[in-house]
């Protein structure tokens, strides 16, 4: 699978969606987004299936807010003979429920190649790519009230909006883009402040919290 994401909760790992290429090497792309969801228990060494997404989804992001698995953005690629559908809803799965079911929440955007980070019940959806191009907008979903708001637009040129990386550290959102700088949302949420610079610029990477005051940048491409 490509374009899928993982999240951790309660000592287990959750895998949500992704894209499956069905063409042989050298043939025209035939990409299909997947709807399957699974949970891995590292103690048992086993995967178990969870309720699938309502439709295939890839190039999205997934985070945990409290006990809720939250999926944002992305699109549904339907093969070489069909145009992809851009998702206009976020999805929430209550992991504390006895029989969890996906709940759809209308999104005020349609974007993919974005990133997200959760602070408490709030999920910050940062930048990404829409049908009209890249977008440095930051939308905030409260997973408890199911309401949306906005945070300050991410700094830099529109180019940096493609597939940034984000994490929550010490109750604050930290973001890195292909331009190199590392930014953190100020404590009052009114602006972004530069807090560092990477030694080597990365894209399609991940930020991973390391302790209460640091992050590790795990890169896919430089």
């Amino acid at each position: 699978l490509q374009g899928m994401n993982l999240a951790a909760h309660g000592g287990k790992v959750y895998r949500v969606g992704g894209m499956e290429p069905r063409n042989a090497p050298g043939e025209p792309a035939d990409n299909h987004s997947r709807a399957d969801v699974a949970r891995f228990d590292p103690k048992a060494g086993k995967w178990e299936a969870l309720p699938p997404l309502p439709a295939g989804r890839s190039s999205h992001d997934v985070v945990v807010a409290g006990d809720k698995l939250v999926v944002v953005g992305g699109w549904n690629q339907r093969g070489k003979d069909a145009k992809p559908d851009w998702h206009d809803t976020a999805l929430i799965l209550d992991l504390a429920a006895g029989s969890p079911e996906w709940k759809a929440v209308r999104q005020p955007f349609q974007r993919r190649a974005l990133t997200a980070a959760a602070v408490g019940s709030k999920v910050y959806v940062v930048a990404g790519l829409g049908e009209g191009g890249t977008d440095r907008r930051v939308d905030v979903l409260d997973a408890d009230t199911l309401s949306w708001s906005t945070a300050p637009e991410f700094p830099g040129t529109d180019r940096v909006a493609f597939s940034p990386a984000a994490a929550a550290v010490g109750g604050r959102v930290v973001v890195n883009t292909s331009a190199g700088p590392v930014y953190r949302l100020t404590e009052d949420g009114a602006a972004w402040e530069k807090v560092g610079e990477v030694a080597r610029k990365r894209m399609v990477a991940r930020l991973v919290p390391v302790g209460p005051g640091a992050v590790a940048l795990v890169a896919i491409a430089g």
Side-chain angles (χ1 to χ4, degrees), residues 8-153:
H9 177 66
K12 297 180 180 180
V13 178
Y14 293 80
R15 173 176 59 79
V16 180
M19 184 271 285
E20 178 188 13
R22 296 182 184 175
N23 56 285
E27 293 183 353
D30 185 20
N31 299 330
H32 295 256
S33 298
R34 297 281 295 268
D36 45 309
V37 179
R39 175 169 57 197
F40 181 70
D41 185 340
K43 292 184 178 179
K46 295 181 179 180
W47 288 92
E48 62 175 314
L50 292 178
L53 303 173
R57 190 176 294 227
S58 57
S59 196
H60 57 291
D61 207 358
V62 54
V63 296
V64 172
D67 289 322
K68 297 175 180 177
L69 195 64
V70 183
V71 180
V72 291
W75 62 0
N76 182 15
Q77 291 183 283
R78 300 179 295 138
K80 60 183 178 181
D81 297 323
K83 291 184 177 180
D85 291 327
W86 291 73
H87 285 294
D88 59 4
T89 58
L91 298 172
I92 298 177
L93 188 72
D94 188 350
L95 301 174
S99 300
E101 295 182 355
W102 288 102
K103 181 172 185 176
V105 181
R106 184 69 64 179
Q107 290 176 165
F109 61 86
Q110 288 180 298
R111 301 198 305 271
R112 68 176 187 87
L114 41 66
T115 191
V119 177
S121 66
K122 293 185 177 180
V123 178
Y124 291 77
V125 185
V126 182
L129 176 68
E131 288 188 280
T134 49
D135 193 336
R136 292 182 288 114
R137 172 174 168 157
V138 180
D139 295 277
V140 186
L141 170 65
D142 190 313
D144 288 341
T145 65
L146 306 183
S147 61
W148 287 93
S149 59
T150 57
E153 189 175 75

Side-chain angles (χ1 to χ4, degrees), residues 31 107 185-186 201 206:
N31 299 330
Q107 290 176 165
L185 194 62
T186 56
K201 297 177 182 178
R206 282 293 183 181

